[in-house]
Amino acid sequence: MTPGRTKGIGPYLLILPAVLLLGIFLVLPYLNIVLMSFRVPGQGTPYGVGFTAGNYIKFFTDSFYIMQVVNTLWIGLLTTAICLVVGFPVAWQLARADMKFRGLAYGLVLSPLLVGIVIRSYGWTILLGNNGLINRTLMNIGLIERPLPLMYNALGIVIALVHVFLPFMILPIMAAIQGVDPSLHAAARSLGASKTTAFRRIILPLSLPGIQAGCILVFVLSLSAYVTPSLIGGLRVKTMAVTVVDALIDTFQWPFGSALALCLSVTGAIAVVIFARLTRMKWKAS
């Protein structure tokens, strides 16, 4: 083999291990799920003999599952919006402010990631329960007479998910803001722009890539979250991820559970693509 030809295939050899890993551990499992979703439900077995589209027909013709998709999307959107509103000021302070205890602030932001998600979710059950810390404190000081419904509803799930996924919003935005030259903001202020105008016309457009990345991360993680919705929502609020696990493990319906998982993945992918297209267009327009 000539040196020139060896040099030409060199880059492909470098990415070959990554391609193999993706193919074995990502592409093949997804293909297996697609194949499984068209299997016939079995009696006492994961699936029967033959193929059918009945699993998808059952999903699209049952309003119960459609409403679960809507509720899952709503919880994901609300979690993402709250994380953005709460996380952007924190990211700005970490990226720009001259903080004496910057290392401590970083540690506080990353602290939710240092504890297992099961422990974090159980911690929120202690805080949000009818006899939890929040309700007991409010009742003891006389602000409420009966416990507030903070658990077993979408509100409790969103509160817990915001705590779990907030670092995934802060870190990309902080990185984007750190990449913005501070002199641009100073130049805008020196030319007469107000703080609001300078932020809206300079900081916000230039930090939009970080906002986009953070929103996509939080939204996708919220859609696929299982532990937190199952513990905080209980049997009253079920997201699609909880329903998928129930179909696969509790009722042993592997074909239907695979169809539910694929429908959730496709729905989330469509939402992410739409959001990415809209924010990219806005970014370019700015």
Side-chain angles (χ1 to χ4, degrees), residues 13-14 135 145 169 174 229 257 276:
L13 293 176
L14 291 175
N135 277 316
E145 296 181 357
M169 181 68 72
M174 182 186 68

Side-chain angles (χ1 to χ4, degrees), residues 15-236:
I15 65 173
L16 182 60
V19 173
L20 290 175
L21 286 175
L22 289 175
I24 295 173
F25 296 105
L26 182 64
V27 177
L28 288 181
Y30 260 103
L31 292 177
N32 186 42
I33 293 175
V34 173
L35 181 65
M36 180 67 67
S37 67
F38 287 100
R39 287 286 192 174
V40 175
Q43 297 294 333
T45 59
Y47 54 88
V49 180
F51 297 89
T52 179
N55 299 311
Y56 291 98
I57 295 175
K58 179 180 178 181
F59 171 80
F60 287 107
T61 57
D62 195 332
S63 60
F64 173 76
Y65 298 108
I66 300 299
M67 287 305 301
Q68 281 198 358
V69 173
V70 174
N71 290 335
T72 303
L73 290 174
W74 169 245
I75 290 174
L77 290 172
L78 190 57
T79 302
T80 304
I82 295 175
C83 284
L84 177 59
V85 173
V86 176
F88 194 96
V90 177
W92 172 265
Q93 289 296 323
L94 289 176
R96 284 286 184 263
D98 186 14
M99 301 174 60
K100 183 178 180 180
F101 302 102
R102 186 183 296 272
L104 178 61
Y106 280 129
L108 292 175
V109 169
L110 297 176
S111 60
L113 303 179
L114 304 178
V115 182
I117 190 170
V118 176
I119 298 176
R120 283 178 282 174
S121 299
Y122 270 118
W124 278 109
T125 62
I126 297 173
L127 292 174
L128 301 177
N130 290 338
N131 199 32
L133 180 61
I134 295 176
N135 277 316
R136 294 302 303 174
T137 302
L138 294 177
M139 293 175 66
N140 289 336
I141 62 179
L143 292 180
I144 59 174
E145 296 181 357
R146 293 179 298 179
L148 297 175
L150 301 178
M151 269 191 65
Y152 308 119
N153 51 33
L155 174 62
I157 295 175
V158 170
I159 291 174
L161 288 179
V162 167
H163 169 254
V164 172
F165 297 135
L166 186 59
F168 295 98
M169 181 68 72
I170 294 176
L171 296 178
I173 297 177
M174 182 186 68
I177 295 176
Q178 287 176 336
V180 178
D181 190 348
S183 62
L184 296 176
H185 184 268
R189 295 284 290 141
S190 66
L191 293 174
S194 63
K195 292 183 178 179
T196 303
T197 302
F199 173 81
R200 180 174 58 86
R201 299 296 299 272
I202 296 177
I203 301 300
L204 188 59
L206 293 178
S207 61
L208 195 56
I211 294 175
Q212 184 187 74
C215 288
I216 291 175
L217 276 173
V218 173
F219 180 74
V220 171
L221 292 173
S222 300
L223 289 187
S224 59
Y226 167 73
V227 174
T228 301
S230 63
L231 292 178
I232 305 297
L235 298 177
R236 298 183 184 179

